[in-house]
């Protein structure tokens, strides 16, 4: 089993996990257009519970795999200051399901999640209530390093077993040594605080991204952003399209929808750099050319929030990544369990890949 070759496709799809956070710059709109101000909802002592679902689908040379993770996530504001807030995320009743492919993964992933069940994310928010950084990243790295190592080694062992073993004793020993070296290096790089902070903050940063924004109703917005990355090689350019509309007549709701297209060439460069920096993989020249030709990353999402309080009631975000002949779709959904709303996320099926824009668009 060539561990590096089997990991390459997944690495390129996972390498670009950086959240998009940017101030809105609106297109010119007609006069007298009504606006929606998304007020900052946070107050010290406030707690919100969300049912969450993360549904991931991967399609490539190795076939199709899909998994679904559900949890109850609680957001608490533990501190409010003039210059911002401290927000704590905790997790309960986390369940992992391997829906397609990935034989042997479900038990391993559930065990790893159970071992980290009491982990808390401590998040700094700025004065507007938007993401500023993780406070406890060093402690998180120390806690997650052994759990990740054990989990990755168990996944390797499960893969070997499902493939019928490695063969003779010498081949098996060599494969295990290669896997151990690869896993140790990958875990060390992935738990570097600069890298791990980005990986862990993606969902938090997307959720806490547009508070205090004032947007004109049914007016398209576009903003060009540059996303910082810890890998090196410069920022990643992207274009974000935004549109806000009001809920049902007489309701106190508004919906903000967005689509983000990341620059193909720069995304490919960063993904290839990440393959080496984060995972220790040397990408063959032929694969490099293919990545440069077909890399595509598109984010789509929507959040339904209460206008009077600013509280998000339903949040949905889907990332579609195409690279080196592989496709990965990652859908994140959150539904508020508290309050008097009756909103839900849309449907229970698998996530659908974003459509590629036309050459003209």
């Amino acid at each position: 089993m060539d561990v590096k070759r089997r990991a390459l496709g997944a690495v390129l799809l996972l390498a670009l996990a950086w959240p998009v956070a940017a101030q809105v710059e609106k297109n010119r709109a007609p006069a007298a257009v009504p606006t929606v101000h998304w007020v900052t909802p946070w107050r010290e002592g406030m707690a919100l519970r969300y049912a969450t679902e993360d549904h991931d689908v991967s399609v490539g040379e190795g076939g199709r795999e899909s998994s679904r993770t559900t949890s109850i996530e609680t957001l608490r504001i533990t501190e409010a200051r003039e210059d911002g807030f401290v927000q704590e995320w905790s997790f309960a009743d986390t369940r992992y399901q391997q829906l397609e492919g990935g034989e042997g993964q479900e038990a391993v992933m559930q065990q790893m999640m159970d071992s980290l069940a009491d982990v808390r994310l401590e998040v700094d928010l700025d004065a507007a209530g938007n993401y500023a950084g993780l406070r406890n990243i060093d402690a998180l790295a120390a806690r997650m390093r052994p759990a990740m190592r054990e989990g990755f080694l168990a996944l390797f062992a499960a893969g070997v077993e499902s493939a019928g073993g490695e063969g003779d004793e010498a081949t098996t020993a060599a494969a295990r040594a290669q896997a151990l070296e690869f896993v140790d290096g990958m875990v060390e790089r992935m738990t570097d605080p600069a890298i791990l902070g980005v990986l862990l903050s993606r969902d938090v940063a997307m959720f806490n991204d547009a508070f205090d924004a004032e947007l004109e109703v049914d007016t398209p917005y576009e903003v060009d952003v540059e996303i910082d990355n810890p890998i090196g090689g410069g920022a990643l350019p992207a274009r974000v399209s935004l549109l806000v509309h009001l809920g049902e007549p007489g309701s106190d709701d508004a919906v903000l929808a967005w689509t983000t297209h990341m620059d193909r060439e720069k995304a490919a460069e960063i993904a290839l750099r990440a393959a080496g920096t984060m995972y220790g993989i040397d990408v063959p020249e032929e694969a490099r050319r293919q990545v440069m030709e077909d890399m595509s990353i598109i984010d789509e999402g929507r959040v339904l929030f209460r206008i009077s309080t600013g509280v998000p009631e339903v949040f949905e975000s889907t990332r579609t990544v195409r690279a080196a002949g592989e496709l990965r779709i990652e859908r994140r959904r959150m539904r508020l369990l508290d309050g008097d709303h009756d909103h839900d996320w849309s449907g229970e099926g698998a996530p659908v890949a974003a459509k590629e824009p036309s050459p003209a668009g």
Side-chain angles (χ1 to χ4, degrees), residues 34 94 134 159 163 189 209 245 264 269 325 334:
T94 302
L134 283 178
R189 287 182 288 269
D209 186 34
H245 63 84
R264 287 176 179 268
E269 291 177 6
M334 303 175 65

Side-chain angles (χ1 to χ4, degrees), residues 167-214:
D168 60 58
E169 185 175 341
T171 301
T172 300
R176 287 176 176 169
Q178 183 187 26
L180 182 60
E181 180 183 2
F182 176 68
V183 167
D184 282 343
M186 182 173 65
V187 169
E188 189 65 28
R189 287 182 288 269
M190 287 184 68
T191 55
D192 178 280
I195 302 295
L196 186 63
V198 170
L199 296 174
L200 292 179
S201 67
R202 174 180 162 189
D203 294 335
V204 175
M206 292 188 72
F207 183 84
N208 297 288
D209 186 34
F211 296 121
D212 202 35
E214 187 163 358

Side-chain angles (χ1 to χ4, degrees), residues 306 313 338-342:
R306 188 69 61 90
E313 296 179 339
D338 307 311
D340 58 356
H341 78 96
D342 59 357

